[in-house]
Amino acid sequence: MAATGSSTEPEEGAAPRAARKPHEQDAAGLGARRALAFVAPGLLVVALFLVLPALWTLYLGSTDYRLTGIPAVDPQFVGVENLTDALGDDGFLNSLWLTLLFVVGSAVLGQAIGGFALAWWMRERTGPLRAVLESLVMLAWILPSSVVAFLWIAYLDRDDGTLNALLHTPGAAWLLDHPMLSLIVFNIWRGTAFSMMLYSAALGNVPRSHLETARLAGAGPLQQLRDVVFPAIRGHVLTNLLLISLWTFNDFTPFLITAGGPDGRSETLPVFIYQTALGSGQLGYGAALSFLMLLINLVVAVVYLRLLGRKRKEERVDDAPPAHARQAGAEREVDA
């Protein structure tokens, strides 16, 4: 007996789903081989400049290789001895603490909060004032590190420094008495522009109607930020924190200003590794320290990426249609 309902046979000329070729199931229609050919140059660059140096650093860190002496000619394999020595090295632990202080003070608290404050203040501003402020902030960001370092050395100079002239404090040695504070303020001044630009783009995507609705409902500025703005830009906040934290953690510019002094009070981890590997000639030990630094970077990146992935998962759940809507849609498909 012939079926009276709609026919379940495929339409003429349509390929069955199971019989489709792999490249027809690919979203871009390329297939695995063609897609691999497109990404192969990028993978080659990553392998040459990231993977191979990391493996070479791991190998070098397991030896006692030095710039001079017998270990320079015939380095010996020492295994994890360099790593264990580093964990008990007061200089390494001090540099790690100073680096964390540098990251939290200048990047997480300084650049992130300062960049958002500038972006929030300028979102309604137009005219020459905004243009001048954006130009000054951008100028601090795009100047080379060597130029910026020289400017700040001149600015904080104890004899003829601009800051002492403004504060009427002749002879105040800021780089000697407050080295880490000087570096933190310097890095906030230099890096806030990136956070400001990222937050400005994020705030431009927040619907004004949402803010207006919250204002009419009686929400104050802080409540609007907490309940409307921050939930909408949380992904941008996490991305910004990830980037500026890693950049600051690996920043070598403090060496150009203080060279780690005085007495190691501003010797961040990149500076300590440089002075250990090249200044003292302990390339094997310096490579082991570099590998520890790489591991710390990976841990920080994984934590931020997991938070970002959880946020995106929550957004997909929030955007998904309710169960009754999905059921009604399925029933309409069956009826069709």
Side-chain angles (χ1 to χ4, degrees):
M1 183 176 179
T4 57
S6 59
S7 175
T8 60
E9 296 180 0
E11 298 178 2
E12 184 178 357
R17 183 180 301 272
R20 291 182 180 178
K21 297 180 180 180
H23 72 273
E24 293 177 343
Q25 298 177 3
D26 187 86
L30 295 176
R33 294 182 178 179
R34 294 179 181 176
L36 182 60
F38 272 102
V39 301
L43 294 177
L44 181 61
V45 171
V46 170
L48 289 177
F49 294 99
L50 291 179
V51 178
L52 292 181
L55 294 177
W56 176 251
T57 300
L58 179 60
Y59 162 74
L60 200 62
S62 61
T63 68
D64 63 349
Y65 185 65
R66 296 179 61 93
L67 283 177
T68 58
I70 296 177
V73 180
D74 185 23
Q76 300 297 316
F77 182 79
V78 297
V80 297
E81 181 179 338
N82 287 330
L83 296 177
T84 56
D85 290 345
L87 297 179
D89 187 348
D90 292 337
F92 169 74
L93 297 178
N94 175 70
S95 67
L96 182 59
W97 163 249
L98 292 177
T99 305
L100 294 177
L101 183 65
F102 187 48
V103 171
V104 174
S106 65
V108 178
L109 297 180
Q111 295 180 20
I113 296 177
F116 179 82
L118 286 174
W120 181 258
W121 182 79
M122 290 195 303
R123 75 189 195 283
E124 302 291 347
R125 301 296 189 276
T126 57
L129 178 61
R130 174 170 180 170
V132 170
L133 182 59
E134 288 181 340
S135 300
L136 291 176
V137 175
M138 285 295 298
L139 183 63
W141 189 51
I142 63 177
L143 285 176
S145 297
S146 57
V147 176
V148 174
F150 174 79
L151 291 176
W152 271 80
I153 291 174
Y155 181 72
L156 299 175
D157 185 71
R158 64 187 307 174
D159 296 323
D160 301 316
T162 306
L163 182 60
N164 285 336
L166 294 175
L167 300 179
H168 303 288
T169 54
W174 298 97
L175 293 176
L176 296 178
D177 297 335
H178 311 284
M180 280 308 301
L181 179 60
S182 301
L183 291 178
I184 288 173
V185 174
F186 150 76
N187 199 50
I188 293 173
W189 174 84
R190 184 184 62 162
T192 301
F194 177 81
S195 298
M196 182 195 71
M197 292 188 298
L198 191 147
Y199 287 138
S200 296
L203 291 174
N205 294 327
V206 178
R208 294 179 179 271
S209 58
H210 293 183
L211 293 173
E212 184 66 20
T213 302
R215 188 184 65 82
L216 294 176
L222 293 180
Q223 291 177 312
Q224 294 178 31
L225 288 175
R226 182 192 63 190
D227 300 330
V228 179
V229 176
F230 284 136
I233 67 171
R234 187 170 57 175
H236 297 81
V237 172
L238 291 174
T239 301
N240 179 61
L241 287 175
L242 170 63
L243 295 176
I244 63 177
S245 296
L246 294 180
W247 290 342
T248 305
F249 189 84
N250 298 282
D251 190 15
F252 190 69
T253 309
F255 179 82
L256 303 177
I257 299 178
T258 63
D263 299 326
R265 291 167 56 195
S266 63
E267 194 174 47
T268 58
L269 189 54
V271 177
F272 178 74
I273 293 175
Y274 170 80
Q275 293 182 338
T276 300
L278 298 180
S280 301
Q282 304 177 59
L283 288 181
Y285 186 49
L289 296 176
S290 299
F291 182 72
L292 287 177
M293 186 175 179
L294 175 62
L295 291 181
I296 296 173
N297 278 280
L298 291 177
V299 170
V300 173
V302 168
V303 170
Y304 277 123
L305 290 176
R306 285 182 66 88
L307 292 174
L308 187 59
R310 184 181 305 173
K311 184 261 179 186
R312 290 176 177 174
K313 183 177 180 180
E314 292 174 356
E315 286 182 347
R316 288 195 296 267
V317 172
D318 294 338
D319 294 339
H324 62 84
R326 294 196 300 269
Q327 182 179 1
E331 292 176 353
R332 285 195 298 269
E333 291 181 358
V334 172
D335 294 340

